[in-house]
Amino acid sequence: MPPRGKPDKAAYQKLKKDLKEGTLGSLYVFHGEEVYLRDYYLGEMKQKLLPPGMEEFNLHTLSGKEFDVKVLEQLVDCLPMMSRRTLIVVSDYDLYKGDKEALAALLSDLPEYVCLVFVYDLIEYKADARTKLAGVLKEKGSVVGFQRQEQGDLIDWISRRFRALEHDISTEDAKYLLFLCGDLMNTLISEIGKVGAYARGRRVTRADIDAVATPQLDAVVFQMTDAIAAGNFDKAASVLGDLLHLQEAPIKLLAVLGRQLRQLYSARLAIEEKKGASYLMELWGMRSAYPAEKLMQSARRFSLPWCRRAVIRCGETDLAMKSTGADGEELLISLLMELAVKKGA
């Protein structure tokens, strides 16, 4: 798997600077998977631009389904009332479909009092650099991508959120929370709330996190392979049983397990070649060292032939699920038993 390219943060940093200095522009495109940040900064824009009590007159919204350039033009022409500016938010409209010429003409000459934001939520933002519209957005606007945050920034944010709930959390336990629940802030905010409400002491413990946090599927499957590595087949079977009880599709579980085993195999190869966790981070595009370090720890308890065979058997089981009509749960349980029995091979 090729490493992920680092996202361009220039537009994001400029948005933060403009909000702080009160110099917001006239045209923005908001997109990206970090919904929490996108909604937070859209809220900050509303506070900066709209006087309290006057939102009804100066905030205009338009959905992609009802979008029309003429309707947008009418909203642009609406003068602000008891305010210096108006805010127009267009949700889930694909800018590069429809009448691009008419839209480009409108966006190239927006009045100074207008702040227009196109928000991509349910649809993906895909720019077409060949169009005149792309040139207008580049010259007149700012395309802000709200990407997943780096581990260091997330740990600081998690610590601040827990402090707001009158709790502290160690760096290692914050990393564990990220590993268990994923690194999307919109998900983490609810998990932090649950853990904060459950914890009795000032310091949040790993036991508090395990008690109430909802783990992502990748983390649960890792627990299953980690139990195999520790020779604890009962725990591995219990984890798989819980996943099946939650009606997770066997083919989906197998896909996640297959990815986990490929990562484990690459970690074992890294150990053989005397490479460290940083190699795994680059290979798999990981933003955090924590999962890479856990993979390395787990891989040390498996032999290279076992890792190779596990990847092969996972592929064979996937083929059997898709082509033979055999029961998916039975195939998955059989694979788990085989992996556990031959762990030391």
Side-chain angles (χ1 to χ4, degrees):
M1 177 181 290
R4 297 170 181 166
K6 289 188 177 181
D8 183 2
K9 295 184 178 181
Y12 174 63
Q13 296 298 336
K14 187 176 187 306
L15 173 64
K16 292 171 65 175
K17 182 173 181 289
D18 288 345
L19 275 166
K20 183 178 180 180
E21 298 178 357
T23 55
L24 285 168
S26 296
L27 177 61
Y28 292 90
V29 175
F30 283 3
H31 70 99
E33 57 189 339
E34 191 46 88
V35 176
Y36 176 88
L37 280 180
R38 184 200 70 205
D39 290 348
Y40 172 80
Y41 282 107
L42 189 58
E44 290 291 295
M45 293 177 80
K46 290 176 182 177
Q47 286 191 17
K48 285 286 185 181
L49 297 175
L50 307 175
M54 301 305 295
E55 294 89 350
E56 183 179 349
F57 302 101
N58 298 310
L59 173 62
H60 311 290
T61 59
L62 190 63
S63 71
K65 291 182 179 179
E66 61 186 1
F67 182 88
D68 183 270
V69 176
K70 291 182 179 179
V71 174
L72 179 60
E73 188 173 4
Q74 291 172 359
L75 295 178
V76 167
D77 288 339
C78 290
L79 293 170
M81 181 176 292
M82 299 180 67
S83 171
R84 292 179 58 249
R85 305 192 67 179
T86 62
L87 176 62
I88 305 171
V89 180
V90 180
S91 301
D92 285 326
Y93 174 72
D94 190 337
L95 286 160
Y96 293 93
K97 290 183 179 179
D99 193 344
K100 294 186 287 293
E101 290 295 323
L103 186 57
L106 175 62
L107 299 185
S108 63
D109 192 29
L110 289 173
E112 290 185 0
Y113 61 80
V114 166
C115 181
L116 171 60
V117 185
F118 288 91
V119 176
Y120 283 72
D121 182 22
L122 302 177
I123 64 175
E124 185 180 358
Y125 175 70
K126 293 182 180 179
D128 186 350
R130 300 167 299 177
T131 63
K132 179 181 178 181
L133 180 59
V136 171
L137 286 173
K138 184 176 181 180
E139 179 186 357
K140 303 287 187 177
S142 182
V143 179
V144 185
F146 294 97
Q147 311 299 336
R148 293 173 187 255
Q149 299 298 286
E150 299 296 329
Q151 177 181 275
D153 294 333
L154 282 172
I155 288 173
D156 290 343
W157 177 75
I158 289 170
S159 297
R160 291 196 302 271
R161 297 302 307 180
F162 273 117
R163 282 199 297 272
L165 299 174
E166 299 184 347
H167 288 292
D168 296 322
I169 187 170
S170 70
T171 298
E172 285 305 305
D173 285 342
K175 289 180 182 179
Y176 177 70
L177 181 64
L178 287 171
F179 172 75
L180 196 67
C181 301
D183 57 1
L184 281 175
M185 298 167 79
N186 217 34
T187 300
L188 285 167
I189 193 70
S190 63
E191 298 301 329
I192 290 169
K194 287 193 297 183
V195 174
Y198 175 84
R200 293 294 173 263
R202 174 76 190 190
R203 173 61 64 94
V204 168
T205 66
R206 190 162 298 195
D208 295 328
I209 296 171
D210 287 336
V212 295
T214 303
Q216 60 179 350
L217 184 56
D218 283 3
V220 178
V221 171
F222 185 90
Q223 290 173 352
M224 188 165 63
T225 57
D226 215 32
I228 293 173
N232 191 344
F233 176 71
D234 287 343
K235 181 179 179 181
S238 175
V239 171
L240 177 58
D242 289 343
L243 289 171
L244 292 173
H245 181 70
L246 292 172
Q247 298 185 328
E248 290 285 1
I251 193 67
K252 179 181 178 182
L253 294 178
L254 183 61
V256 178
L257 177 60
R259 184 174 186 271
Q260 176 68 36
L261 291 173
R262 292 193 299 274
Q263 288 184 331
L264 199 62
Y265 184 28
S266 64
R268 184 67 243 185
L269 287 170
I271 292 170
E272 298 290 327
E273 296 294 326
K274 295 182 171 48
K275 295 179 179 179
S278 59
Y279 168 78
L280 279 186
M281 290 179 65
E282 182 178 357
L283 181 66
W284 289 94
M286 297 175 178
R287 293 178 175 82
S288 164
Y290 189 81
E293 290 166 355
K294 286 187 72 69
L295 273 170
M296 296 293 281
Q297 291 170 8
S298 187
R300 290 188 179 94
R301 293 184 284 182
F302 290 103
S303 67
L304 183 60
W306 184 95
C307 291
R308 184 183 296 116
R309 180 62 181 164
V311 171
I312 293 171
R313 286 294 297 123
C314 196
E316 291 171 346
T317 304
D318 180 78
L319 180 61
M321 272 194 196
K322 294 174 179 175
S323 61
T324 66
D327 184 86
E329 287 190 15
E330 291 183 3
L331 287 171
L332 197 54
I333 293 169
S334 177
L335 174 63
L336 180 63
M337 292 177 65
E338 180 182 342
L339 294 176
V341 169
K342 296 184 177 181
K343 181 250 170 180

